[in-house]
């Protein structure tokens, strides 16, 4: 028999879904604001992807896949990216990493960080490869890799903020794999 991932009341789930949606829209609007008029030498980390991966791996009930899909499509459309490309790649990698995390015995933060790091690298490389193959003008690969490194370095901070401010915590597991 399968054990539930968490025993969270449905009101709390809907409150956290509303918080996630509000936070995502806020991050998208921050990305749209012209904070600098000169081109940037260094890319900023993708805070929206960091929040999506952190919340999806820590408490999957708060961030259902259809909600993530809608938010990522909105992000693509508002930032004038190819609609659905980054969204589709991210959703596929997110589902893949959720399956790997659920079936893995290692539930430590270091294992989660390694999985998310590999996921960010895969998303970045696949996105750049597909844009290059379709002959769409894109940024240089080194810029994408620098952003990926910044994403990987920022992930522990996003987990810390999510854990202490938003109370998005990982469920505790016993040695037999049961949720406490």
């Amino acid at each position: 028999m399968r054990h539930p991932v968490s025993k969270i009341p449905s009101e709390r789930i809907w409150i956290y879904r509303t918080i996630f949606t509000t936070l995502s829209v806020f991050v998208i609007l921050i990305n749209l604001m012209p904070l600098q008029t000169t081109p940037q030498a260094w890319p900023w980390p993708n805070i929206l992807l960091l929040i999506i991966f952190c919340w999806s791996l820590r408490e999957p009930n708060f961030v259902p896949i259809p909600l993530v899909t809608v938010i990522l499509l909105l992000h693509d459309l508002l930032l004038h990216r190819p609609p659905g490309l980054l969204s589709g790649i991210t959703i596929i990698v997110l589902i893949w990493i959720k399956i790997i995390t659920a079936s893995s015995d290692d539930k430590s933060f270091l294992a989660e960080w390694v999985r998310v790091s590999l996921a960010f690298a895969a998303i970045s490389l696949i996105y750049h490869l597909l844009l290059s193959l379709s002959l769409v003008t894109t940024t240089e690969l080194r810029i994408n890799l620098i952003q990926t490194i910044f994403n990987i370095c920022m992930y522990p901070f996003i987990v810390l903020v999510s854990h202490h401010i938003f109370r998005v915590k990982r469920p505790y597991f016993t040695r037999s794999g049961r949720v406490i």
Side-chain angles (χ1 to χ4, degrees):
M1 185 166 105
R2 234 178 127 158
H3 298 285
V5 174
S6 63
K7 298 172 185 174
I8 300 173
S10 64
E11 299 87 23
R12 186 166 176 229
I13 290 174
W14 282 104
I15 288 170
Y16 273 95
R17 286 180 183 173
T18 306
I19 291 171
F20 173 75
T21 305
T22 306
L23 192 61
S24 299
V25 169
F26 178 74
V27 168
I28 291 171
L29 292 177
I30 291 294
N31 285 338
L32 290 173
M33 291 176 61
L35 299 176
Q36 280 188 331
T37 56
T38 59
Q40 299 176 3
W42 297 94
W44 287 93
N46 193 337
I47 302 296
L48 185 61
L49 279 184
L50 290 166
I51 293 170
I52 287 171
F53 272 85
C54 175
W55 284 40
S56 293
L57 294 177
R58 299 211 153 243
E59 192 54 68
N61 293 330
F62 294 164
V63 189
I65 295 295
L67 179 62
V68 173
T69 305
V70 168
I71 287 173
L72 286 174
L73 278 173
L74 178 70
H75 194 233
D76 281 349
L77 292 172
L78 290 177
L79 292 181
H80 298 288
R81 293 191 203 143
L85 182 61
L86 186 61
S87 306
I89 295 168
T90 303
I91 293 298
I92 290 169
V93 171
L94 182 63
I95 291 171
W96 172 70
I97 201 164
K98 277 178 152 183
I99 291 170
I100 289 176
T101 302
S103 65
S104 174
D105 290 335
D106 193 1
K107 305 286 186 194
S108 68
F109 173 72
L110 186 60
E112 176 187 347
W113 194 13
V114 168
R115 286 186 207 109
V116 169
S117 301
L118 292 173
F120 285 149
I123 290 170
S124 178
L125 290 174
I126 292 169
Y127 182 70
H128 186 78
L129 178 70
L130 289 176
L131 283 179
S132 298
L133 287 175
S134 60
L135 302 176
V136 174
T137 55
T138 182
T139 58
E140 296 179 19
L141 181 61
R142 72 175 177 85
I143 300 294
N144 284 348
L145 294 178
I146 290 171
Q147 185 181 31
T148 301
I149 291 170
F150 285 164
N151 284 344
I152 292 168
C153 293
M154 281 293 287
Y155 187 74
F157 178 71
I158 296 295
V159 168
L160 191 70
V161 168
S162 294
H163 183 80
H164 291 292
I165 293 177
F166 295 109
R167 302 287 184 219
V168 177
K169 299 179 182 179
R170 210 179 168 95
Y172 295 103
F173 293 92
T174 62
R175 289 187 186 264
S176 64
R178 295 181 61 173
V179 178
I180 296 176

